[in-house]
């Protein structure tokens, strides 16, 4: 079966911020990458991005054979698709554009090649009708920015996506160290962006209402609940909040206060005044620190946290193996 | 001025889960602790907890002179208050109980001694009327569980709390390595519990609606946005999401999608069926893992993350000093 052919060669369609980060990740995982983008100067920008990401990827661990020299670039879509085993599409977020693109890709690619879209905003059910012959091989494979540092990939099928496509996409992403989730219904924002929206709504409300400064709400999150969310998910944390009684006990205790808090949470309007409050408070927090300094800070800590969790998982796995 | 007397001796009122964790933290910070609790067996449980927390506190760094032998216990409230420099109150969450307790504390303590409440549920404006003589020295000093591992302390004054009390409480908590935030209006859940409530509402909704399993929503959070919230707050992350354009540019791009997502976020009812869905999905996620195993996992990673961020802050501080 051609379906069992190992995935060795990835075609990246669209090499903006997300596409370039995917390219760097795939290269670091020892895969071949052929990238395509019609924008002038795209190849230079892509190669610069990959080079700039390489030290971080090296720290996180390169796969055998990983090399920046496994990257090729062509502005010709058809050439990029030749002998591709898997496509990661990162085109503009417009339904008409994507439908047309998927029509072209569908004609160029043999039917076993999965076309995965990084789209955060357009459901696959609206994109895949463009792929007339084989819409079943189209799926959302949505990363979290920046994909080369953040392991999450959200997998969502459209109405015509096959179960096999979802299974194979999940296996592939997992094989290269991604943490996958399967979203069982198409929802605006999939999962992760909805969680961000839910949190930002209250954060922004509290800042705009002068309950707390941007600096202080950032402290409250990143030295409080955020610390825990950096190491474990909400549901398992709820389970542990119940002590020996687990989730059942936790919901008995938390259910009442939680329902009461829900009634008081903010529901702000995105007015210019509202945005102005956020902007002013962020600038007071940032002070003289540059974007570059803050990015370095964020990425150094992100890499450190991913390393910490990977090491811990290896330790746990070796303890388990020793006990068996 | 007696107000400038250094805080060396902490009285802990109530030695349940939160009080015991505070006691361990204060001891690790080299302070003397006198604890009081009327419950039978309270002293034994407290000493056992402190001993169990000591290895983690040792990893995070003991202050000079830190010792479990600096802990004394008395069931006599008046004795516990004698020569206390600061009181951390962790009594039952009942207004009548706390008002009466604050009346007693207010009579027992000289006016410069701050009485800080760990209350998550009762605003200080409702508690401090009990402290007839000196309500201005009463303040919320709300930790995040477990206080000996999580650095956040939320400081909230009531209607009668003095600015000086807030300033001194902030200085004290900061001096022992806590990350403080000042909440400028009394709100149900202060800040951190509101952020948790906002996130849990959407997490629980998505699980109860079968959009995603508990296991997968935990992956989405803790390997996606949660990773970033473990290292930086929402507002600074928004600033960086804007690239060179910062928060202004980010809000231009994010404002529309965010407002659209807000319209679709869930608003579930806390029914028994709803809770049952959460419980079943959590048990499927947990499998055969025990509460103890998961607690160890959470705490090992939490300690590692706090160590990582402390190390990074030291590196950044020494680079800054070298550049000056």
């Amino acid at each position: 079966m051609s379906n069992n052919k190992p995935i060795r060669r990835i075609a990246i369609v669209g090499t903006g911020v997300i596409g370039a980060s995917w390219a760097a990740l795939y290269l670091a995982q020892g895969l071949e990458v052929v990238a395509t983008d019609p924008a002038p100067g795209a190849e230079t920008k892509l190669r610069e991005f990959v080079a700039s990401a390489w030290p971080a990827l090296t720290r996180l661990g390169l796969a055998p054979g990983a090399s920046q020299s496994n990257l090729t670039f062509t502005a010709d879509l058809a050439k990029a698709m030749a002998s591709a085993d898997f496509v990661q599409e990162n085109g503009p977020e417009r339904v008409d554009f994507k439908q047309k693109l998927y029509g072209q890709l569908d004609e160029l690619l043999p039917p076993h090649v999965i076309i995965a879209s990084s789209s955060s905003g357009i459901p696959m059910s609206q994109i895949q009708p463009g792929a007339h012959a084989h819409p079943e091989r189209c799926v959302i494979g949505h990363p979290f920015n920046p994909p080369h540092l953040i392991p999450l990939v959200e997998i969502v099928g459209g109405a015509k996506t096959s179960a096999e496509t979802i299974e194979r996409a999940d296996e592939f992403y997992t094989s290269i160290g991604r943490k996958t989730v399967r979203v069982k219904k198409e929802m605006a924002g999939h999962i992760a962006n909805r969680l961000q929206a839910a949190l930002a709504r209250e954060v922004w409300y509290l800042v705009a209402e002068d309950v707390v400064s941007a600096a202080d709400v950032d402290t409250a999150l990143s030295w409080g609940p955020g610390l825990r969310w950096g190491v474990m998910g909400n549901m398992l944390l709820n389970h542990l909040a119940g002590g020996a009684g687990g989730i059942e006990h936790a919901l008995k205790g938390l259910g009442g206060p939680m329902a009461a808090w829900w009634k008081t949470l903010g529901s702000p309007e995105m007015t210019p005044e509202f945005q102005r409050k956020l902007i002013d408070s962020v600038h007071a927090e940032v002070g003289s620190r540059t974007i570059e300094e803050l990015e370095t800070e964020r990425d150094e800590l992100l890499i450190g946290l991913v390393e910490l969790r990977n090491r811990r998982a290896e330790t746990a796995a070796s303890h388990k193996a020793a006990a068996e």
Side-chain angles (χ1 to χ4, degrees), chain A residues 276-296:
Chain A
R276 173 49 51 194
K277 298 280 283 193
L278 304 182
I279 289 167
D280 290 346
S281 201
V282 165
H283 281 297
E285 175 178 17
V286 167
S288 62
R289 291 178 291 176
T290 66
I291 299 270
E292 291 70 25
E293 283 168 352
L294 290 167
E295 276 175 348
T296 301

Side-chain angles (χ1 to χ4, degrees), chain A residues 71-290:
Chain A
L71 172 63
T72 55
F73 183 92
T74 169
D76 182 329
L77 187 68
K79 278 192 191 152
M81 293 307 113
S83 71
D85 300 319
F86 186 95
V87 176
Q88 188 76 46
E89 173 271 313
N90 321 278
E93 291 280 74
R94 298 204 324 262
V95 176
D96 57 343
F97 181 94
K98 286 206 197 269
Q99 282 194 353
K100 190 174 161 220
L101 174 64
Y102 277 63
Q104 294 172 287
L105 296 175
D106 191 42
E107 285 180 14
L108 290 165
L109 293 160
H112 71 275
V113 175
I114 289 174
I115 309 173
S117 175
S118 302
S119 178
S120 64
I122 308 177
M124 185 41 72
S125 292
Q126 288 182 33
I127 299 172
Q128 65 191 170
H132 299 286
H134 293 288
E136 76 283 353
R137 51 74 167 268
C138 302
V139 66
I140 299 284
H142 179 248
F144 203 71
N145 197 34
H148 70 285
L149 296 184
I150 308 257
L152 175 63
V153 178
E154 300 178 298
I155 298 172
V156 202
K160 296 186 176 173
T161 306
S162 69
E164 190 201 347
T165 295
I166 289 172
E167 188 67 33
R168 287 175 57 222
D170 197 345
E171 279 171 14
F172 167 63
Y173 286 126
T174 302
S175 76
I176 57 164
R178 302 298 90 192
K179 306 294 180 182
T180 60
V181 306
R182 296 194 189 190
V183 186
K184 292 179 272 180
K185 297 178 187 175
E186 293 181 296
M187 302 282 279
H190 313 313
I191 303 296
N193 275 325
R194 296 178 70 86
L195 302 187
Q196 292 213 107
L199 188 85
R201 180 161 63 175
E202 185 63 18
V203 167
W204 292 0
Y205 166 74
L206 292 170
V207 173
E209 292 288 318
D210 288 322
V211 176
V212 70
S213 66
D216 275 1
V217 82
D218 277 355
T219 297
L221 176 60
S222 76
W223 288 105
L227 273 186
R228 301 203 301 209
W229 294 330
V231 307
M232 195 173 266
N234 184 85
M235 300 304 304
L236 271 190
L237 288 168
N238 290 158
H239 184 53
L240 296 182
I247 182 72
E248 288 87 342
H249 188 71
L251 287 176
K252 275 203 187 93
L254 262 177
M258 198 62 93
W261 288 327
W262 288 352
K263 289 205 180 81
T264 76
L265 294 180
S267 190
E269 295 288 323
M270 197 77 70
T271 63
E273 296 72 31
F274 177 80
Q275 298 197 22
R276 173 49 51 194
K277 298 280 283 193
L278 304 182
I279 289 167
D280 290 346
S281 201
V282 165
H283 281 297
E285 175 178 17
V286 167
S288 62
R289 291 178 291 176
T290 66

